[in-house]
């Protein structure tokens, strides 16, 4: 994209500028491509906001994968600019709030968008923004996530079904999702209340376990950041002897218990508080004397602090000879760091593989080079980190 088109001009040079063009231009400008500036990014964003003030345009945006993905890129680019990106993030939040308030059908369309998870992840980055004068921005981002997430009344959505292997030929577990408003209302400074939803990484974890039931069969399993509990419930359904599901968020722990009851596996499970960002793990209810031969987690890294905390958890709770499996969106802040930290940790071995889509089968994961882990390509693989502690 050249300097004349950075602010969102139609790439053909003809016709009006589209919302997708404007947002892509703002993202490019925020990233410093071709000499772009914050002022030019703001100009494009203000124009996009004016267009989306019309309900029919908001509805088009909600269903347009390219436009939603461009918005996600602009949000991520604004976050990387620290203080200079605050003004752009504010405009983007105002624009998204306007879209979400256009009506129930628009919010539902947005949640059904194929790039909704990428979009939601970008909003969470803003909600976790740290820096001087950012409190108002973080509050605004939390409010926007609440609005966007209110497509359906609490408890109105159907439970999600996850076959543990090939559909139709294997057992199925069912989990219900929670409500962002409830989860965020009890979130701590170290927890953004993200566990109310089953993200793509959770689905990949379930399918991987379904294809490798021997990984958990007969073991006591520790699940980190359990949220809905989908990973731990899958482990129990596949023959784990016991599972300890942990989360720092009280609403997420309640949701895990609800789903354990739904799947009739409460007799082999505990749901406990554990916050890996706290020095004492948040007064963790998991005894420091306990250790686990298997540890699992999905979509549990949102920043570099999380990476350091998870390594501390593995050091404390992963038994000698034990194995851990983490499934993470590889573009997420902190994911590269956790790979590096585990590789540097004495007595740990790590292997990294990746997968692009959930697909019908997750038996095979392509090995990933370290240089591929930092790509911002939204179609790039999630990464699967297999960790083993030496005996």
């Amino acid at each position: 994209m050249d300097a004349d088109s950075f602010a969102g001009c139609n790439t053909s040079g003809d016709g009006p500028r589209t919302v997708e063009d404007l947002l892509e231009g703002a993202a490019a400008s925020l990233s410093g491509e071709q000499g772009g500036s914050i002022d030019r990014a703001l100009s494009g964003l203000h124009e996009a906001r004016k267009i989306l003030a019309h309900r029919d345009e908001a509805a088009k945006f909600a269903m347009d994968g390219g436009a939603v993905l461009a918005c996600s890129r602009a949000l991520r680019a604004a976050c990387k600019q620290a203080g200079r990106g605050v003004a752009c993030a504010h405009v983007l939040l105002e624009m998204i709030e306007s879209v979400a308030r256009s009506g129930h059908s628009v919010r539902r369309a947005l949640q059904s968008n194929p790039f909704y998870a990428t979009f939601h992840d970008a909003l969470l980055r803003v909600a976790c923004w740290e820096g001087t004068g950012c409190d108002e921005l973080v509050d605004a981002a939390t409010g926007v996530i609440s609005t966007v997430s209110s497509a359906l009344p609490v408890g109105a959505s159907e439970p999600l079904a996850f076959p543990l292997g090939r559909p139709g030929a294997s057992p199925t577990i069912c989990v219900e999702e929670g409500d962002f408003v409830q989860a965020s209302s009890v979130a701590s400074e170290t927890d953004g209340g993200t566990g109310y939803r089953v993200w793509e990484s959770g689905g990949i974890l379930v399918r991987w376990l379904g294809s490798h039931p021997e990984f958990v069969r007969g073991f006591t399993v520790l699940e980190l950041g359990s949220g809905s509990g989908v990973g731990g419930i899958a482990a129990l359904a596949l023959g784990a002897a016991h599972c300890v599901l942990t989360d720092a968020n009280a609403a997420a722990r309640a949701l895990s218990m609800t789903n354990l009851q739904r799947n009739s596996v409460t007799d082999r499970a505990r749901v406990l508080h554990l916050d890996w960002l706290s020095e004492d793990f948040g007064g963790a209810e998991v005894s420091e004397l306990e250790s686990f031969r298997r540890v699992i987690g999905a979509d549990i890294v949102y920043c570099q602090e999380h990476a350091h905390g998870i390594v501390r958890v593995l050091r404390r709770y992963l038994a000698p000879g034990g194995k851990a499996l983490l499934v993470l969106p590889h573009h997420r802040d902190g994911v590269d760091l956790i790979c590096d930290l585990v590789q540097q940790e004495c007595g740990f071995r790590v292997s990294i593989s990746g997968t692009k889509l959930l697909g019908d089968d997750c038996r095979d994961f392509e090995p990933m080079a370290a240089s591929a882990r930092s790509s911002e390509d939204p179609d790039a693989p999630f990464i699967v980190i297999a960790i083993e502690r030496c005996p």
Side-chain angles (χ1 to χ4, degrees):
M1 184 176 293
D2 59 28
D4 291 332
S5 62
F6 79 94
C9 295
N10 186 289
T11 54
S12 68
D14 300 321
R17 289 175 288 189
T18 67
V19 169
E20 181 178 353
D21 289 337
L22 290 163
L23 293 171
E24 286 285 11
S29 184
L30 283 163
S31 300
E33 297 177 15
Q34 302 294 328
S37 69
I38 297 296
D39 288 341
R40 289 187 172 187
L42 278 170
S43 176
L45 292 174
H46 280 298
E47 187 169 348
R49 184 177 63 177
K50 289 180 182 178
I51 294 172
L52 292 176
H54 300 281
R55 190 181 185 284
D56 57 341
E57 294 294 337
K60 291 178 185 177
F61 169 84
M63 295 183 289
D64 186 340
V68 169
L69 184 57
C71 184
S72 306
R73 288 171 173 158
L75 281 167
R76 291 205 305 268
C79 288
K80 291 181 179 179
Q81 289 298 318
R84 295 198 304 150
V86 170
C88 292
H90 269 297
V91 177
L92 280 161
L93 292 176
E94 291 170 1
M95 182 191 78
I96 297 165
E97 180 81 17
S98 174
V99 169
R101 291 191 179 282
S102 294
H104 179 83
S105 61
V106 174
R107 293 193 297 276
R108 291 199 64 176
L110 185 58
Q111 284 208 331
S112 299
N113 193 288
F115 290 104
Y116 177 79
T118 302
F119 170 72
H120 193 279
D121 179 64
L123 280 172
L124 287 170
R125 291 189 185 205
V126 182
C128 295
W129 201 324
E130 295 181 359
T132 304
C134 288
D135 290 348
E136 182 181 347
L137 181 69
V138 169
D139 289 344
T142 302
V144 169
I145 295 173
S146 176
T147 303
V148 169
S149 302
S150 62
L152 294 171
V154 178
S157 58
E158 292 295 322
L160 303 175
F162 292 90
L164 301 177
R166 295 189 181 280
S170 59
T172 297
I173 62 172
C174 292
V175 300
E176 63 182 67
E177 296 182 310
D179 174 64
F180 175 78
V181 177
Q182 182 182 14
S184 61
S185 68
V186 295
S188 67
E189 293 181 359
T190 58
D191 162 48
T194 59
Y196 73 99
R197 185 179 176 124
V198 180
W199 303 101
E200 282 94 333
S201 299
I204 292 174
L205 174 62
V206 169
R207 290 181 182 236
W208 191 95
L209 292 174
S211 297
H212 303 81
E214 69 282 357
F215 183 81
V216 294
R217 187 179 295 131
F219 290 101
T220 296
V221 179
L222 173 66
E223 183 179 18
L224 303 177
S226 60
S228 67
V230 67
I233 292 167
L236 290 165
L238 291 166
H242 194 86
C243 187
V244 177
L245 295 82
T246 65
D247 205 291
N249 186 280
R253 295 195 299 275
L255 182 60
S256 286
M257 181 56 71
T258 295
N259 284 322
L260 286 165
Q261 293 168 345
R262 174 182 290 278
N263 290 274
S264 302
V265 288
T266 54
D267 59 324
R268 291 184 288 131
R270 288 178 290 160
V271 180
L272 302 177
H273 176 261
L274 189 148
D275 180 357
W276 57 74
L277 290 188
S278 173
E279 286 298 322
D280 63 350
F281 299 115
E285 297 171 344
V286 185
S287 169
E288 64 180 39
L289 299 178
E290 288 190 78
S291 62
F292 299 84
R293 296 291 304 280
R294 294 293 185 267
V295 177
I296 59 174
D299 214 331
I300 56 175
V301 176
Y302 283 81
C303 60
Q304 295 191 1
E305 290 79 7
H306 287 172
H308 286 283
I310 290 168
V311 171
R312 290 195 305 110
V313 168
L314 294 176
R315 193 184 301 129
R316 169 75 71 83
Y317 291 113
L318 184 60
K323 297 179 180 180
L325 189 82
L326 307 178
V327 183
L328 309 169
H330 89 272
H331 60 76
R332 183 78 56 68
D333 290 342
V335 170
D336 283 355
L337 179 60
I338 194 171
C339 297
D340 294 338
L341 289 174
V342 174
Q343 287 171 331
Q344 295 167 12
E345 187 78 12
C346 181
F348 285 81
R349 291 193 292 263
V350 61
S351 62
I352 304 166
S353 55
T355 183
K356 283 191 175 182
L357 301 171
L358 292 178
D360 292 327
D361 196 350
C362 285
R363 285 185 175 83
D364 300 318
F365 291 85
E366 299 176 0
M368 292 182 64
S371 60
R373 298 203 311 257
S374 298
S375 168
E376 285 290 338
D377 180 358
D379 295 325
F382 292 83
I383 67 170
V384 180
I385 308 174
I387 301 165
E388 183 175 4
R389 190 167 196 169
C390 298

